[in-house]
Amino acid sequence: MDQTRMPLIEALKQHKKQSPVSFHVPGHKNGQLSSFLDLSYDVTELSGLDDLHAPEGCIQDAEKLLSDFYQTNESKFLINGSTVGNLAMILGSLSEGDRVFVQRNCHKSVLNALKMAKAVPVFLAPEYDENSKTVVLFSTETLKKAYRQYRNVKAVIFTYPSYYGMADEFKTLAMIAKENESIILVDEAHGAHFVLPYEGIPESALYWGADIVVQSAHKMLPAMTMGSYFHIQSSHIDREKVIFYLHAIQSSSPSYLIMASLDAARAYTAAYKEIDHHYSMQVVDRVKKVLESRGCLCFKPDDPYKLLVRAEGLSGYELQILFEQAGVYPEMADPFQVLLVFPLLKEGQMTFEADALKKLDYFHLKKGIVRERFPEVKKTKDVSTLALPYNEHNKYKKEFVPFHEALGQIAGEMIIPYPPGIPLIMEGERILNEHIESLEWMLIHGSRFHGGSGLKEGRVAVFCGEV
């Protein structure tokens, strides 16, 4: 197939050429009422522009090109982000009571979907990587141990790669899951570019036995926020059930701007050559060299388009402030470091590097505030379950208690440092001392949270008496 084509964008251009008068939604009327943004492509399901939920024209063509590029059985556009993809993937693949293995360090959308499906998750503890200072995939030993403990495991849910770009031994883990007749569901939000066959780029889970893969095109490809891809690569899943949930939980008024950006992102990536990758890697190295000359310590994870940056005596949060004061905005900070995410630059696209290096002229390290070190990272049990299963949560009331009173009680809500969106405390698990220590440290250092509505008052929600 001709990967230079962008059917949806071509159709939108043709529609715009007609200088149409809008008597339809949205209310800005082809951008006439908006002075700050060109919204002429923000239309609705008009003649010639197809329908995301029943595609048979330009959207169908665009999705077929996407499937051809990623070599899948079927690929779909997502306009509500990878969150909706994870929800549809899990709700469409699991039924109430199904046992599933899932990484303890998964995204909150995975846990929300498991709760909605009333599935029975068994959590596999990730390994800690000392070099990247992050948790990564669980080990092959942990997965084998879990299969010895549990039979009839419907699915294994992977997060691959990690937010930080660590890929680990996914291939081996996928083989073990297949040998045990589990379907493989993958949150590959940060791996949409893994389709590229160039040196140093890990391979997509699509090529190692995954049944469904969800990718955030907007994270690593030039797509608009909330633009993601949903790939089906197996006949072992109930396609009709999956498609039902895609229709049910995505907006019935999909954004043509987002869909157009997904079409363009696929074409951009398909045209991305080895010489472009080589140029991008040179940019990464030059930025890394400048940061090291300023006294930073830099670490390259498995994904070559990401860079971890640290500074002696500074937390990642303090380092993030110094970057932002220079006009450079990292993707995120954690207690140890900041994460920089680089674009897929094409040879000759020099503006990004020039702007970055100009801003870094104003970046200088300062002495940090001496604080307690982040609590030692302790590995949880290799294989564990919730103290209170999802299907019993609605039987109990909740109350907010001070941190010290929460020890040993069962958490009544998820508490999630954001980014990266990985729960520190999961709803239904027993609250341990290390949870409280980490939570208090992160609050002191300015981490932001989703959930934890009582954190400002030093309280957390716990389950109490029956309803």
Side-chain angles (χ1 to χ4, degrees):
M1 298 179 76
D2 182 2
Q3 290 292 339
T4 64
R5 291 187 58 236
M6 294 177 281
L8 182 55
I9 289 180
E10 291 161 10
L12 285 166
K13 285 182 177 178
Q14 184 59 38
H15 177 72
K16 183 179 178 179
K17 280 182 181 179
Q18 300 171 22
S19 300
V21 175
S22 171
F23 282 94
H24 56 77
V25 297
H28 54 68
K29 304 304 177 185
N30 293 333
Q32 292 183 38
L33 305 188
S34 174
S35 61
F36 61 92
L37 188 65
D38 180 5
L39 295 176
S40 60
Y41 282 0
D42 188 15
V43 293
T44 189
E45 293 90 341
L46 305 177
S47 297
L49 295 183
D50 211 356
D51 183 341
L52 176 66
H53 296 295
E56 54 184 21
C58 60
I59 294 177
Q60 183 184 62
D61 289 345
E63 289 182 333
K64 284 183 176 178
L65 282 164
L66 178 66
S67 177
D68 177 73
F69 181 54
Y70 280 91
Q71 293 295 291
T72 65
N73 291 359
E74 184 175 4
S75 295
K76 310 294 287 183
F77 286 166
L78 300 175
I79 47 83
N80 293 110
S82 287
T83 288
V84 81
N86 286 339
L87 291 171
M89 173 176 71
I90 292 168
L91 291 169
S93 301
L94 302 178
S95 300
E96 183 173 354
D98 280 344
R99 181 174 287 115
V100 54
F101 291 161
V102 60
Q103 283 176 243
R104 174 62 179 78
N105 58 320
C106 63
H107 189 264
K108 65 175 183 176
S109 59
V110 171
L111 298 175
N112 287 334
L114 291 171
K115 182 176 182 179
M116 293 165 68
K118 296 183 180 179
V120 181
V122 175
F123 296 102
L124 307 187
E127 296 296 304
Y128 182 74
D129 180 69
E130 184 61 42
N131 292 322
S132 66
K133 304 291 185 185
T134 67
V135 288
V136 292
L137 275 170
F138 46 82
S139 68
T140 56
E141 291 75 17
T142 296
L143 184 56
K144 290 177 179 177
K145 178 181 178 180
Y147 275 117
R148 288 194 296 269
Q149 289 183 227
Y150 297 96
R151 300 294 180 187
N152 301 318
V153 178
K154 181 69 176 290
V156 182
I157 303 174
F158 292 91
T159 302
Y160 168 86
S162 73
Y163 197 120
Y164 295 85
M166 302 300 290
D168 309 303
E169 295 296 323
F170 174 81
K171 176 183 175 182
T172 304
L173 293 166
M175 289 174 60
I176 295 171
K178 284 294 183 184
E179 289 168 0
N180 285 274
E181 300 182 343
S182 301
I183 60 173
I184 298 174
L185 309 177
V186 184
D187 175 359
E188 196 173 84
H190 291 264
H193 59 310
F194 284 7
V195 66
L196 296 169
Y198 305 136
E199 183 180 2
I201 301 178
E203 291 186 290
S204 171
L206 286 165
Y207 310 134
W208 298 117
D211 295 279
I212 298 178
V213 171
V214 178
Q215 299 171 333
S216 293
H218 69 91
K219 284 188 167 67
M220 299 302 299
L221 309 186
M224 286 182 66
T225 298
M226 293 200 300
S228 294
Y229 298 142
F230 189 94
H231 302 294
I232 298 173
Q233 186 67 330
S234 168
S235 59
H236 298 297
I237 53 101
D238 186 342
R239 180 192 177 276
E240 295 306 314
K241 186 178 178 183
V242 169
I243 296 299
F244 165 78
Y245 278 106
L246 282 176
H247 291 173
I249 60 182
Q250 286 206 102
S251 173
S252 60
S253 301
S255 165
Y256 272 77
L257 289 172
I258 293 175
M259 289 190 290
S261 78
L262 288 171
D263 198 18
R266 184 269 312 154
Y268 182 96
T269 310
Y272 199 76
K273 305 300 182 186
E274 188 168 12
I275 193 171
D276 302 322
H277 172 64
H278 181 67
Y279 170 66
S280 290
M281 295 301 96
Q282 290 178 326
V283 172
V284 173
D285 286 339
R286 285 194 283 266
V287 170
K288 177 175 177 286
K289 186 175 180 179
V290 169
L291 291 173
E292 289 174 337
S293 73
R294 301 282 196 277
C296 292
L297 304 172
C298 298
F299 173 80
K300 287 185 175 182
D302 297 325
D303 183 349
Y305 287 85
K306 294 188 173 183
L307 187 68
L308 298 174
V309 184
R310 305 166 193 145
E312 189 70 32
L314 292 173
S315 71
Y317 305 114
E318 293 166 325
L319 185 57
Q320 181 182 34
I321 291 171
L322 297 182
F323 270 108
E324 291 177 352
Q325 287 174 345
V328 176
Y329 289 80
E331 167 67 15
M332 64 162 289
D334 69 21
F336 305 102
Q337 60 211 338
V338 299
L339 172 64
L340 303 184
V341 178
F342 287 77
L344 275 67
L345 297 170
K346 292 188 177 180
E347 188 184 35
Q349 293 177 334
M350 298 180 287
T351 304
F352 174 83
E353 180 183 7
D355 289 347
L357 295 180
K358 184 177 180 180
K359 293 289 187 183
L360 288 175
D361 280 341
Y362 300 95
F363 172 76
H364 299 284
L365 294 181
K366 299 175 184 177
K367 189 174 181 180
I369 300 171
V370 179
R371 294 192 176 115
E372 280 186 46
R373 293 184 61 188
F374 185 71
E376 181 183 353
V377 177
K378 298 176 183 177
K379 186 176 178 181
T380 56
K381 289 178 62 177
D382 288 343
V383 182
S384 63
T385 57
L386 293 176
L388 186 67
Y390 285 132
N391 61 359
E392 295 186 23
H393 286 191
N394 60 0
K395 299 178 182 178
Y396 293 85
K397 300 176 184 177
K398 298 178 183 179
E399 65 177 358
F400 286 90
V401 300
F403 291 167
H404 68 276
E405 291 183 18
L407 288 176
Q409 298 202 56
I410 297 174
E413 63 179 340
M414 282 197 288
I415 298 177
I416 310 152
Y418 207 93
I422 297 169
L424 173 64
I425 299 174
M426 295 190 295
E427 184 181 12
E429 78 172 336
R430 199 167 298 281
I431 298 174
L432 305 176
N433 187 60
E434 47 262 39
H435 291 145
I436 300 300
E437 287 182 354
S438 297
L439 181 59
E440 290 177 333
W441 195 97
M442 296 177 84
L443 284 168
I444 290 172
H445 285 73
S447 183
R448 293 174 294 171
F449 292 87
H450 285 187
S453 52
L455 293 182
K456 289 183 179 179
E457 294 77 40
R459 295 173 177 272
V460 294
V462 297
F463 285 107
C464 52
E466 293 189 17
V467 175

